[in-house]
Structure formats: C-alpha cells, structure tokens
Amino acid sequence: MTEEVLQAIPHRPPFLFVDKVVETREDGIVCSRVFRAEEKFYEGHYPNAPLTPGVLLCESVFQAAAIHLVKKAQAGGDAAFANRTPVLCRIENAKFKGMVFPGDEVLIEVKEGETLSGFHYMSGNVKRGGKPVLQIKFALAMLEKK
C-alpha cells in the first residue's frame, strides 16, 4: 500500500483492501489491489481451493470511494472534512460476475453520483484482467470523528 492510501483513510492491514491510487478524476477514482496468497482469510475461504470473498471485493470498492471523497475534500480545501471519516450507509444492486483468486490484481473503479443531505451516492466496479468481477451501487456519509 502507498502512503497516499494510508493518509486518506483510517483502514489498516489486515483490513485494508486498496494498495494504490492509479488515477483520480473529478467524479471518481481508480485504485488497484493485489490479493496475496498469504492473506489469512484464504485459509478458511476455501481450504485447498482459495477464493477471494465477495464481501472483501465490495469492501475494496467502499475503501476506494472513501479515498476519493477525502482527496476531493482536500483538493477543494474543505476544512469541514478534516475531522470526518467516510462510513458506509447503503449497499444495493451488488452483482458478482467473476472470481478473484490468490495472486490476482484487480482494478477498482468508483464513480460519484449525486450528494443528498450529506449522503454520497456512488457506483463501483472491480475488474480482473479487464473483465468485470463486481458491479455495485452504494452510499457513504462523512461522519464526525469521535
């Protein structure tokens, strides 16, 4: 993982599922992650036939979205975001279209939709080898740190 990722969100190993920022855009971000064979969750999912859990692919999208919101706020000089943490508040329409195995690198793309009453509605996808693995819609809120 890069320092850019570590500075943007509070997540840390073993629950950090973004390695680096590949591209930033006005309306989104592209990040990447290599799922390494030595990660502990593969021991139980599944023994002798390891497969990356879909919920962790979803989490990689949510973390990429959080990075996008923080970087966007920092670029805009939004001081109100300085004391806030991105928190997931809605998941809908998750569609799994492929599998990710140990050693695979994925690209995680997030696009921002509308923001209503402090809720940031977004969509994301994960691709492995250029092919879709996950499509999902969700919302994040920026909550004040305690």
Side-chain angles (χ1 to χ4, degrees):
M1 77 242 34
T2 65
E3 192 62 31
E4 181 179 21
V5 170
L6 295 173
Q7 288 180 5
I9 58 176
H11 304 78
R12 294 293 180 266
F15 207 77
L16 179 60
F17 299 104
V18 173
D19 288 337
K20 65 182 175 184
V21 175
V22 175
E23 180 183 356
T24 56
R25 304 175 184 150
E26 179 69 26
D27 68 340
I29 195 166
V30 178
C31 296
S32 68
R33 172 66 149 88
V34 174
F35 283 91
R36 295 170 268 296
E38 64 273 9
E39 295 185 83
K40 297 295 272 179
F41 56 81
Y42 285 125
E43 291 178 18
H45 199 271
Y46 298 97
N48 303 316
L51 175 65
T52 306
V55 68
L56 298 183
L57 297 174
C58 293
E59 179 65 23
S60 71
V61 174
F62 307 148
Q63 290 180 13
I67 293 167
H68 166 69
L69 290 177
V70 168
K71 289 178 74 61
K72 185 175 178 179
Q74 290 170 342
D78 190 342
F81 272 41
N83 197 35
R84 297 189 178 271
T85 301
V87 177
L88 180 68
C89 56
R90 176 181 281 186
I91 301 171
E92 55 184 65
N93 297 330
K95 296 177 184 176
F96 296 96
K97 298 177 173 269
M99 295 181 277
V100 174
F101 301 99
D104 285 346
E105 180 176 20
V106 297
L107 285 180
I108 307 149
E109 183 177 13
V110 172
K111 290 185 180 175
E112 194 173 346
E114 60 185 346
T115 298
L116 298 170
S117 300
F119 294 94
H120 302 271
Y121 293 87
M122 309 177 100
S123 62
N125 66 68
V126 174
K127 292 181 181 177
R128 179 183 49 82
K131 295 184 179 181
V133 172
L134 166 67
Q135 294 175 330
I136 190 166
K137 292 184 178 184
F138 59 99
L140 296 179
M142 298 296 283
L143 297 184
E144 196 166 324
K145 292 179 185 175
K146 297 204 180 216

